Amino acid sequence: MTAPAGHLVKGFPERVSVVEVGPRDGLQSEPQFVPTDRKIALVNGLIDAGIRHLEVTSFVSPRAVPQMRDAAEVLAGIDRSKGAVLTALVPNARGADRAAEAGVDAMVVFMSASESHNLKNVNRTRAQSLDGFADIVRIAGDADIPVYGAIATSFGCPFEGEVPVSSVVEIARAYRDMGITTLSLGDTTGMATPPVVQERCRALKEAVPEADIALHFHNTRGVGLACVYAGLLEGVTRYEASIGGLGGCPFVPRATGNICTEDLVYMLSECGVETGVDLEKLIGVAQEAEAIIGRTLPGQVMKAGPRLQTASMDSVATANG
């Protein structure tokens, strides 16, 4: 039986953190450069809607990802008065130096659980990626900035198929040994299913109990929010999502976007889980994101509105006969 709206579903945490990744993960593959002022306005709108954790940019080579060439300018323009935590992806020591100078609140390092995707995504073996993180952790530590660790293809690889749980655990332990205990399991390929989510969450809880786990799902096969539901039942309280469903890894065949932030917040609200996010404001930001990109985005709640949103009877034609 479905729980009444606003009543906490049995077994769910009372409150979760919604981590917005659209400004980085969502925009990075857009072929047309999004003006810096529009990126800043998008982030400020998300903060105004109540989002308090955002991955706003990436300090990668401007030649490799031209969309992120204004990383420092974006960070400088964001309104920090509401205490939002602003993070940025950093691929190497040079990026870490730039991120520290720009004043990020946390740096995010990333690698894939599968060897083949790591080679495609960053042109390094997994061992080479881990070796390179030592410099980033040192630079971040000197600046008193925490480091988060992302594990891509945690639920499957487009080149190898199934990714062993042991591969995910191995990387999580390596992160922990570097002092990185805030971890994100990335469903880069949209291959996660509820049973796989349950399996990975339980394995990490046992192997790295000190880790604060976040889950990052794509909706490639239409079960992104079902995977969130599975994560909630496992007690996970951090979920990454992208406004409007922006994004999709450019190094994955047939990839589609992330789960939509507004759809996630809507589901959580209907399940009685607190997020601190104003859904109506968030829908407005999703519509603005669609205007910025210039095409229809996959978000559903931004089109339909909340469950109990009503309309005038005069706005709909009456059936004949």
Side-chain angles (χ1 to χ4, degrees):
M1 184 172 68
T2 303
H7 288 232
L8 185 65
V9 172
K10 185 177 180 181
F12 277 14
E14 293 183 2
R15 186 178 183 90
V16 306
S17 294
V18 174
V19 181
E20 174 61 50
V21 299
R24 195 282 303 172
D25 193 1
L27 295 182
Q28 68 176 358
S29 299
E30 289 299 316
Q32 298 300 317
F33 183 75
V34 176
T36 303
D37 61 343
R38 301 203 77 176
K39 290 174 183 169
I40 292 169
L42 182 66
V43 173
N44 285 337
L46 289 160
I47 293 172
D48 185 59
I51 300 290
R52 290 294 175 266
H53 293 83
L54 304 96
E55 190 173 282
V56 296
T57 191
S58 177
F59 285 88
V60 294
S61 165
R63 291 188 301 277
V65 187
Q67 188 66 251
M68 300 287 107
R69 66 177 183 256
D70 57 355
E73 291 83 357
V74 169
L75 271 163
I78 295 170
D79 179 3
R80 297 195 176 199
S81 64
K82 295 183 179 178
V85 176
L86 307 180
T87 71
L89 210 64
V90 292
N92 50 40
R94 180 179 174 82
D97 282 329
R98 292 173 57 212
E101 184 177 352
V104 297
D105 295 315
M107 299 184 196
V108 182
V109 297
F110 61 99
M111 63 177 294
S112 303
S114 72
E115 189 78 13
S116 56
H117 186 265
N118 208 64
L119 287 166
K120 279 289 183 184
N121 198 36
V122 296
N123 198 25
R124 293 181 177 182
T125 66
R126 290 181 300 175
Q128 287 170 333
S129 285
L130 286 170
D131 286 344
F133 295 157
D135 285 337
I136 296 173
V137 170
R138 175 184 53 78
I139 292 166
D142 289 344
D144 199 26
I145 297 172
V147 179
Y148 303 162
I151 308 175
T153 61
S154 287
F155 304 95
C157 172
F159 311 113
E160 299 176 21
E162 190 65 80
V163 171
V165 180
S166 58
S167 295
V168 180
V169 168
E170 178 185 2
I171 295 170
R173 283 175 169 157
Y175 277 152
R176 178 200 58 196
D177 293 345
M178 295 180 196
I180 301 171
T181 55
T182 299
L183 308 180
S184 172
L185 301 187
D187 184 25
T188 317
T189 56
M191 294 169 74
T193 63
V196 177
V197 172
Q198 181 186 66
E199 174 195 44
R200 313 272 146 143
C201 287
R202 292 183 179 181
L204 279 190
K205 282 181 195 175
E206 182 177 348
V208 194
E210 59 270 57
D212 178 17
I213 299 170
L215 296 175
H216 176 128
F217 297 119
H218 287 222
N219 204 40
T220 309
R221 292 170 176 83
V223 295
L225 290 182
C227 290
V228 170
Y229 205 96
L232 290 165
L233 289 174
E234 293 302 314
V236 176
T237 59
R238 288 170 58 89
Y239 294 89
E240 298 180 358
S242 179
I243 192 71
L246 281 167
C249 179
F251 304 105
V252 171
R254 302 177 299 281
T256 57
N258 300 272
I259 59 171
C260 306
T261 310
E262 66 278 10
D263 292 1
L264 171 64
V265 169
Y266 167 73
M267 187 191 82
L268 292 170
S269 175
E270 288 292 308
C271 292
V273 179
E274 291 290 333
T275 63
V277 180
D278 184 319
L279 180 59
E280 292 287 356
K281 285 186 176 181
L282 197 62
I283 289 171
V285 180
Q287 292 166 344
E288 176 61 22
E290 190 169 78
I292 290 172
I293 298 304
R295 66 174 185 277
T296 301
L297 295 178
Q300 297 298 303
V301 174
M302 65 185 287
K303 302 178 182 72
R307 183 174 69 93
L308 296 180
Q309 180 173 300
T310 59
S312 165
M313 290 182 65
D314 293 337
S315 67
V316 180
T318 301
N320 293 320

